[in-house]
Amino acid sequence: MSNIELNDKKIQILEVAEKLFSEKGFEGTSIRDISKHAKINIAMVSYYFGSKERLLESLIIYKTSDLKLQLENLLHENIEPLDKVNKLIEIYINRISCNKGIFRVLHFELTSKKIEKSLIAFSELKRENLKSVETIIKQGQDKGVFRKDVIIPLITPTIIGTYFHFHMNKFFFEELLNLNTEEMYNNYIKTSLTRHIQQTIKALLVYEN
């Protein structure tokens, strides 16, 4: 399932599915809804993807495969461990910002063990991305830069959770921080919020002076 062949019709279905999943939720969206908005026969969705879960799995791969590649490339960069962690955070924030809908569905709606087990690709992707995070942090530990007692599996949820708390309270923070336009809001995420998350993760990783 890691490599799916996509044609224009499949991509159209995936784009419609992402929009509906982000607006109505995974459970609140039916195959019939997707076929109606994509203006295609309901049988075609089933023919291409089989089930709603398989469609979501294809959507995950379509939207997040480049994240996996970026993390793998980061592993081989010849830079200091803390710089790698900072770049890792920038990569995550950028990918989530570009794919808010699917990430919200993945991290806040799919809490059912039954659904999680059916999304083999999502589980594999999380494991592979965690391996990249582990490798980067262990490089820092081997150099004596990072603490040995870091709970590595909690690093990614700390990054993603901070971002989503900010985003789910968008109107509150827009008013609080005088972010009067969408451009100002997005720029704040790229600069101040990203820097805050980097400082938070650094505090977790680096020995106190």
Side-chain angles (χ1 to χ4, degrees):
M1 191 71 193
S2 57
N3 293 304
I4 52 171
E5 292 183 10
L6 294 175
N7 56 35
D8 290 344
K9 187 59 68 176
K10 282 185 178 179
I11 290 172
Q12 179 194 356
I13 294 168
L14 290 173
E15 296 286 359
V16 168
E18 181 186 23
K19 183 175 185 294
L20 292 177
F21 287 158
S22 65
E23 289 174 357
K24 302 172 66 176
F26 178 73
E27 296 294 345
T29 303
S30 66
I31 294 290
R32 187 175 296 279
D33 293 331
I34 294 167
S35 64
K36 180 181 175 184
H37 282 79
K39 296 181 172 61
I40 56 171
N41 191 295
I42 191 169
M44 188 175 287
V45 181
S46 298
Y47 172 75
Y48 279 137
F49 299 103
S51 66
K52 193 167 67 164
E53 285 76 17
R54 293 279 82 80
L55 191 160
L56 178 61
E57 190 166 54
S58 297
L59 180 59
I60 292 165
I61 296 167
Y62 175 56
K63 287 293 185 179
T64 60
S65 56
D66 61 334
L67 170 63
K68 178 174 175 284
L69 186 62
Q70 284 180 293
L71 293 181
E72 288 173 350
N73 289 339
L74 179 60
L75 289 178
H76 303 295
E77 286 195 34
N78 187 25
I79 56 177
E80 290 301 310
L82 188 58
D83 294 327
K84 277 192 184 181
V85 169
N86 285 337
K87 285 193 75 170
L88 169 92
I89 292 165
E90 288 174 5
I91 288 168
Y92 262 104
I93 297 302
N94 181 58
R95 295 318 303 144
I96 300 168
S97 293
C98 293
N99 298 284
K100 293 185 185 79
I102 189 64
F103 271 96
R104 187 166 65 243
V105 170
L106 292 178
H107 290 279
F108 287 92
E109 290 198 51
L110 302 185
T111 54
S112 162
K113 191 172 285 188
K114 177 175 173 288
I115 294 176
E116 176 93 11
K117 282 183 177 178
S118 72
L119 298 178
I120 299 167
F122 184 38
S123 297
E124 286 179 357
L125 187 71
K126 286 193 291 187
R127 273 193 289 269
E128 288 169 5
N129 290 348
L130 178 58
K131 283 180 186 174
S132 296
V133 176
E134 284 177 339
T135 301
I136 290 170
I137 292 174
K138 283 175 180 174
Q139 286 172 353
Q141 289 173 332
D142 291 342
K143 286 191 171 186
V145 179
F146 293 161
R147 299 161 59 104
K148 296 284 189 182
D149 61 349
V150 178
I151 306 174
I152 298 175
L154 296 183
I155 296 296
T156 306
T158 302
I159 297 168
I160 295 173
T162 303
Y163 170 86
F164 268 110
H165 178 83
F166 184 83
H167 182 64
M168 302 295 267
N169 293 277
K170 180 179 179 181
F171 299 124
F172 173 77
F173 284 112
E174 280 178 335
E175 185 178 342
L176 185 70
L177 301 169
N178 296 315
L179 305 175
N180 300 319
T181 66
E182 192 69 14
E183 184 181 357
M184 290 173 69
Y185 175 80
N186 289 329
N187 188 55
Y188 190 89
I189 288 173
K190 286 180 182 177
T191 55
S192 299
L193 182 65
T194 298
R195 189 163 56 249
H196 169 78
I197 294 171
Q198 288 170 335
Q199 290 168 343
T200 301
I201 299 301
K202 179 183 176 182
L204 291 171
L205 293 177
V206 177
Y207 288 104
E208 295 178 10
N209 293 326

